[in-house]
Amino acid sequence: METNVKKIAYVASECQPFFASGGLGDVVGSLPKRIVKQSKGEYEISVYLPLYTLKMNPKYFNKLVYIGQTTVKLSWRNQYCGIYKYVEGGVKYYFIDNEYYFKRTNYYGYFDDGERFAYFSKAAIEAMIYLNEIPDILHAHDWQTGMVSVYLRTLFYHDERFKHLKSVFTIHNIEYQGKYALDDDIIEDVFGLSVNDSHIFEYQGNINIMKGAMESSNIVSTVSPTYAEEILTPEYAHGLEHEVRRVKEEGKLLGILNGIDKTFYNPAKDDSLFVKYSKDEIENKVQNKLELQKMLALTVDENIPMIGMVTRLVHHKGVEYIKQIFNELMNENVQIVILGTGDSYYEGYFKDMEAKYPHKVRAIISYNQDLSRKIYGSSDFFLMPSRSEPCGLSQMIASRYGTIPVVRETGGLKDSIHNFEGRKGNGYTFKGDNAWDLLDALKHAISDFNNKEVHLDHITKVIKADFGWSASAKSYIAMYKKFE
Ligand code: GLC
């Protein structure tokens, strides 16, 4: 019997709830389930992931089912590839096991990342073959999986099984491209490719895996409409603007705003909160602030507005803007709680500010899911003044918890948060490159906070905003339909 079910293979380097270091993991963890549900079974999705044995959420480890093993040839290497499976929410997850490459304390940042993810990309293809699950559509995410479409276009070019396959490559952040020195040995010895094919992934004198993926995919998407425009310019594209423009001219470029999983992030069911609440009992939210103030040894007082930040402490998150206005901001009756890791320079800066303003500032230098949810739930405002932000999920999560976003108008922040002055108002925004505009926005927020009626009206607007996946999943389905 003929069926119309289309198979999609997601290939990615992170996925909630198994393991994640950032927003990419949230998206790969929630979008496939939503597409399967929303398309009413028209699409069947398998997600291919590396098995990071040291990172895997222990709750899921024992549930993995061993399927079998195959060998992945990468140049002269013949590498082991174990395949494990787990099914949830109508989505199949396949984990590629190779301890040499993936039993490490971090996800990325190793000298052999190029080889690790070239292996993973090839292993994903070999696993599809082993499982006899050749997809109709490949959907790869970020540079770590960029080699999948490159291999399909080179090593597997004459393989009949993949002839009909169409591919999508999604850029979650163009800053990280997978760049290596252009060197015949690396092309042949590490990636196992012929130098005759190097034009596919060669860019401005380097090997550039993201460029290779853009070149060899049928559609290139990114995670917000505004970012899709921004990356046409050198200011945002980190050197890839020429390739982005080319892709756009070919009509292959798309921007689709992410959503969040409203079940995963739900203040009415979140066990990390001190006190749960929903939009109908928003008055309970403040109990969380009082508890967090106690826990962090800040002044306990519900009338002090609390600004929360959960972020990587890196330049593009706009930390410089905060630095410039920090002392002025501290003249206000306000508290600020920062959770994140990143550049040691910024980590040190916030620790210094904490020492300087011990009753007003708490900087927790770590990655901590439980505490992040306490901050989303307890703060009155959520600060996200990013210099660039492909999409950003934290502003959406904060909104879901009735915490009012204060953002810079860039990328997905611009597409999701609008200033209260306008009709669609659901936060405080500032434009441009002037830190004092951020200070104005924050002062405005603090002054509105002191007017209980206005503040409650704002919270109500914010918590009602719908950042679920339904609209975005619809756009993704429409994108896949272009292939029919
Ligand atoms: C990256 C981007 C972030 C985006 C996320 C998910 O982490 O920096 O803006 O929300 O990917 O697409």
Side-chain angles (χ1 to χ4, degrees), residues 129-141:
I129 295 172
Y130 179 89
L131 296 161
N132 196 16
E133 266 198 37
I134 308 292
D136 300 292
I137 299 170
L138 162 76
H139 192 158
H141 299 262

Side-chain angles (χ1 to χ4, degrees), residues 46-61:
S46 297
V47 182
Y48 294 81
L49 301 161
L51 183 60
Y52 300 103
T53 36
L54 303 178
K55 292 282 187 187
M56 182 81 181
N57 181 339
K59 219 173 104 187
Y60 294 92
F61 223 141

Side-chain angles (χ1 to χ4, degrees), residues 451-484:
N451 182 336
K452 291 267 170 300
E453 219 174 295
V454 172
H455 186 60
L456 184 62
D457 174 59
H458 284 171
I459 298 180
T460 313
K461 282 188 177 130
V462 162
I463 205 168
K464 282 190 181 149
D466 185 359
F467 290 119
W469 270 110
S470 117
S472 317
K474 201 171 157 200
S475 306
Y476 275 103
I477 292 171
M479 175 183 83
Y480 298 140
K481 291 240 179 268
K482 287 180 191 232
F483 295 138
E484 285 171 18

Side-chain angles (χ1 to χ4, degrees), residues 23-24 27 172-173 223 258 312 316-317 389-393:
L24 167 68
V27 173
H172 293 262
N173 193 338
V223 287
N258 289 326
R312 276 181 301 124
H316 87 89
K317 291 292 180 184
E389 195 61 71
C391 176
L393 301 174

Side-chain angles (χ1 to χ4, degrees), residues 14 21-28 141-142 170-176 222-224 227 256-259 312 316-317 384 386 388-396 411-413 469 476:
E14 302 182 13
S21 77
L24 167 68
D26 280 82
V27 173
V28 177
H141 299 262
D142 272 355
T170 296
I171 300 172
H172 293 262
N173 193 338
I174 206 164
E175 190 173 344
Y176 308 103
T222 187
V223 287
S224 70
Y227 194 62
I256 302 176
L257 193 70
N258 289 326
R312 276 181 301 124
H316 87 89
K317 291 292 180 184
M384 217 170 157
S386 308
S388 69
E389 195 61 71
C391 176
L393 301 174
S394 304
Q395 79 278 19
M396 302 183 186
L413 294 173
W469 270 110
Y476 275 103

